[in-house]
Amino acid sequence: MSIFKIFFKKEKIRTRFAPSPTGPFHIGSVRTALFNFLFAKKFKGKFILRIEDTDLERSRPEYEKGIIESLKWLNIHWDEGPYRQSERLGTYAKYLKKLLDNGDAFYCFHSKKFLEEEAGLAHHCEFKKLPLEDLEKRLKKESAVIRFKTPPDLEIAFTDLIRGKIRFNSDALGGDFSLAKAESPDKFLPLYNFAVVIDDFEMGISHVIRGEDHISNTPKQILIQQALKLPMPKYAHLPLILGPDKSKLSKRHGAVSVDEYGEMGYLPAAMVNFIAFLGWNPGTDKEIFNLEELIKEFDLNNVQKGGAIFNVEKLDWFNGYYLKQLPLDELAKRAIPFLIKDGLIDSNFPAKSGPAPSWEYLKKILELERPRLKKLGGIGERISYFFKIPKYEPKLLIWRDMSFKDIIASLKASLVAIDQMSDADFNQKNLERILLKEAEKAKNKDKGRLLWPLRAALTGLEASPGPFEILEILGRKESIKRVETAIKKLA
Ligand code: GLU
């Protein structure tokens, strides 16, 4: 191997995302995945997906599936994996044997409860002093926990790429911490701190980028590396994600799992852009970044130490932006499941025959609504009047001090104007010209006297786009019907 090759190999960037499939995919974990992905791609390295499913009671295949589906949905693609820790037990056993043989670890037969009650035992356990053979014999009859012999009063330090030098004293680690459960002489189930060290080494991980909550685990992992003479990866611990009240982001603040955001109708590109800014910024005013641009701009030096605030209004802003960028066909395709759910269109939309609304009709509606749209969830409520006759109280039709009589007269004036138009002329431009002329005749030239009752009659809503656009989309016949219905309501 040439010297260059060795150099290159040593410098090869490999990151990993190592979720535990024990719950819905949290926004904070998505951020960890994204930053690892961006960092690896930026340096033409590899991004690895590793499922840390050693907690048999809490790990579930459906959570793993959820993580994988969400990563794909977000376009965060991995180069290797998914590896599963549950499928690598043989590898861990090999290293555990080595630690036991070298006297860096021991079998402990105390129960967890006993250890909790006798806190001092975590430091002075009598099993630590017994010969390995004796303990191995006992293991044939009884299960044990393999614990690391934490050296006393040792300084453990590492340089975090985000927070600089971090130091610990081994005495603060709570004693001889657990590495694995030994069910029998040949059945070892590794625990987090141990498995992570072995895997990061075996998988050639160069950079461990993860949440700040793992800082306190790092010294334990370093001790295991040192005992096994493994190289230390570089560490970067990402700031906590906080709710608007500056406390750690949790369910109290609203949805925290990425699938919930998907269900609410946020676009993956908006999610990625928003999540990238949870602790990172490009150092410029630019806010809109697609994945390519993020890969180019991402830099661990621009990751902040302090907590990152999760602000849903900002997410809405990003999402509104990305919704505006979608080709109309694409927007319509994405809106359909929401409209089906809201009962506005059939599950077989767009049906070829029958009274079902057409694809073109849907597109016109979405084009009209889009400038104000923040997310697709709840869109049904805003545009239902295009699909069914709106229900509303007659008082909605009232503009300022108008009486019911005034409103009936106003609606009748609109009706006459509309009625005189041909279907072919019935477009926004003509409607605007004709109806505005009519509206100017109103008392005090107050156009609202004509336009408000008309718009309310068409939509049944307090707020909506303007009447001319709505009239055009609804069409002449349907518009006339709605104005007549309003007049009847008042009479
Ligand atoms: N399985 C750990 C978690 O989900 C990963 C920790 C790490 O990245 O080292 O928190």
Side-chain angles (χ1 to χ4, degrees):
M1 212 185 276
S2 83
I3 185 95
F4 292 108
K5 255 190 178 157
I6 293 168
F7 183 73
F8 183 68
K9 203 171 167 203
K10 220 177 118 206
E11 286 302 297
K12 195 128 182 94
I13 302 291
R14 289 173 64 86
T15 65
R16 71 344 183 243
F17 173 50
S20 307
T22 53
F25 196 9
H26 192 279
I27 292 288
S29 299
V30 178
R31 197 250 331 242
T32 302
L34 177 63
F35 284 20
N36 275 286
F37 168 81
L38 296 176
F39 186 77
K41 294 293 129 183
K42 179 177 181 93
F43 294 105
K44 310 259 178 298
K46 294 274 190 280
F47 172 59
I48 290 142
L49 175 60
R50 179 172 80 220
I51 306 292
E52 305 213 318
D53 57 353
T54 52
D55 187 337
L56 300 175
E57 267 150 47
R58 292 172 61 226
S59 297
R60 297 223 204 106
E62 62 265 32
Y63 291 137
E64 178 186 315
K65 208 171 141 232
I67 291 167
I68 287 177
E69 276 169 12
S70 293
L71 287 174
K72 287 184 183 161
W73 180 69
L74 293 163
N75 267 311
I76 301 176
H77 298 293
W78 53 97
D79 301 294
E80 285 177 31
Y83 299 113
R84 282 181 202 87
Q85 291 188 324
S86 60
E87 291 166 3
R88 301 167 46 76
L89 299 184
T91 306
Y92 307 122
K94 204 174 79 190
Y95 287 96
L96 283 168
K97 290 245 160 70
K98 201 162 160 188
L99 287 170
L100 288 160
D101 288 343
N102 290 348
D104 290 314
F106 64 101
Y107 292 105
C108 168
F109 291 90
H110 287 308
S111 70
K112 198 175 163 197
K113 192 161 165 272
F114 183 82
L115 282 175
E116 270 161 15
E117 282 159 12
E118 307 281 325
L121 269 182
H123 300 271
H124 314 284
C125 176
E126 72 266 29
F127 292 110
K128 202 161 144 180
K129 292 166 210 123
L130 297 182
L132 185 59
E133 301 96 67
D134 295 3
L135 296 173
E136 273 169 350
K137 255 182 228 144
R138 184 160 172 176
L139 185 63
K140 288 186 183 142
K141 287 171 265 144
E142 212 182 310
S143 66
V145 170
I146 300 175
R147 295 207 274 140
F148 187 78
K149 289 186 190 166
T150 304
D153 194 21
L154 181 76
E155 186 185 87
I156 307 155
F158 66 97
T159 302
D160 190 279
L161 296 176
I162 294 163
R163 334 183 132 247
K165 193 112 178 162
I166 301 183
R167 289 186 177 83
F168 288 89
N169 187 288
S170 62
D171 287 345
L173 299 183
D176 298 326
F177 56 88
S178 309
L179 301 173
K181 289 183 203 153
E183 306 266 283
S184 65
D186 44 28
K187 192 170 180 211
F188 295 159
L189 298 174
L191 296 169
Y192 163 68
N193 277 310
F194 170 71
V196 91
V197 167
I198 303 311
D199 284 342
D200 286 344
F201 170 66
E202 288 263 326
M203 295 172 191
I205 301 304
S206 63
H207 291 72
V208 169
I209 303 169
R210 61 187 175 189
E212 180 187 288
D213 44 328
H214 285 292
I215 291 180
S216 60
N217 289 321
T218 309
K220 295 180 184 175
Q221 296 171 13
I222 292 173
L223 285 177
I224 301 170
Q225 287 157 12
Q226 288 174 347
L228 288 168
K229 303 201 167 47
L230 306 178
M232 195 201 303
K234 293 202 165 65
Y235 289 103
H237 287 95
L238 307 174
L240 279 181
I241 299 179
L242 310 176
D245 62 353
K246 311 261 167 82
S247 71
K248 193 173 164 181
L249 184 69
S250 75
K251 280 219 180 77
R252 274 185 312 113
H253 298 109
V256 287
S257 82
V258 61
D259 5 317
E260 286 174 280
Y261 285 93
E263 280 159 23
M264 286 189 269
Y266 289 96
L267 299 172
M271 290 304 296
V272 162
N273 199 156
F274 170 72
I275 289 171
F277 275 81
L278 291 176
W280 170 82
N281 71 75
T284 64
D285 288 343
K286 184 170 149 90
E287 293 194 281
I288 298 297
F289 286 85
N290 63 27
L291 262 180
E292 292 294 290
E293 294 168 310
L294 284 172
I295 290 169
K296 217 167 129 231
E297 294 300 319
F298 185 77
D299 186 345
L300 281 176
N301 289 319
N302 286 342
V303 174
Q304 73 206 40
K305 291 196 196 83
I309 310 263
F310 184 96
N311 176 346
V312 177
E313 284 93 61
K314 192 74 203 184
L315 173 58
D316 284 348
W317 179 83
F318 276 117
N319 204 53
Y321 174 86
Y322 282 96
L323 282 170
K324 286 188 193 81
Q325 306 304 308
L326 285 184
L328 200 50
D329 275 298
E330 173 78 24
L331 178 65
K333 261 187 223 145
R334 287 185 184 264
I336 286 171
F338 291 91
L339 297 175
I340 292 173
K341 210 172 89 203
D342 289 338
L344 297 183
I345 56 177
D346 269 1
S347 55
N348 64 352
F349 179 88
K352 289 266 179 305
S353 59
S358 71
W359 183 246
E360 285 312 313
Y361 185 67
L362 175 60
K363 286 207 300 192
K364 277 193 205 150
I365 295 166
L366 291 171
E367 195 174 24
L368 175 63
E369 191 61 26
R370 164 144 75 176
R372 304 188 304 149
L373 205 56
K374 294 277 179 267
K375 53 177 180 277
L376 289 169
I379 186 178
E381 220 172 282
R382 311 172 71 128
I383 62 174
S384 70
Y385 63 88
F386 282 112
F387 299 89
K388 43 188 195 194
I389 303 289
K391 290 202 183 81
Y392 58 91
E393 294 297 317
K395 68 173 194 289
L396 179 78
L397 299 161
I398 302 172
W399 174 253
R400 294 196 171 149
D401 59 356
M402 286 171 86
S403 68
F404 275 15
K405 231 178 97 210
D406 295 338
I407 298 167
I408 292 175
S410 155
L411 287 170
K412 280 189 173 159
S414 289
L415 203 55
V416 169
I418 292 169
D419 206 33
Q420 278 168 358
M421 294 172 73
S422 71
D423 281 336
D425 290 341
F426 202 77
N427 59 45
Q428 186 194 330
K429 235 174 91 196
N430 289 333
L431 282 157
E432 192 167 341
R433 185 172 45 80
I434 291 167
L435 287 168
L436 277 182
K437 210 164 89 194
E438 191 60 38
E440 280 178 10
K441 294 183 198 156
K443 191 169 127 193
N444 302 332
K445 291 197 166 183
D446 178 359
K447 292 190 211 102
R449 292 177 76 90
L450 189 90
L451 301 181
W452 175 275
L454 171 61
R455 196 199 54 74
L458 298 171
T459 63
L461 293 176
E462 196 80 44
S464 75
F468 314 120
E469 295 95 322
I470 295 171
L471 284 163
E472 177 185 325
I473 296 175
L474 282 174
R476 187 169 158 274
K477 215 172 118 208
E478 180 64 25
S479 301
I480 289 174
K481 204 166 105 192
R482 291 189 183 194
V483 177
E484 283 173 347
T485 305
I487 294 171
K488 267 186 225 135
K489 260 188 211 259
L490 295 170

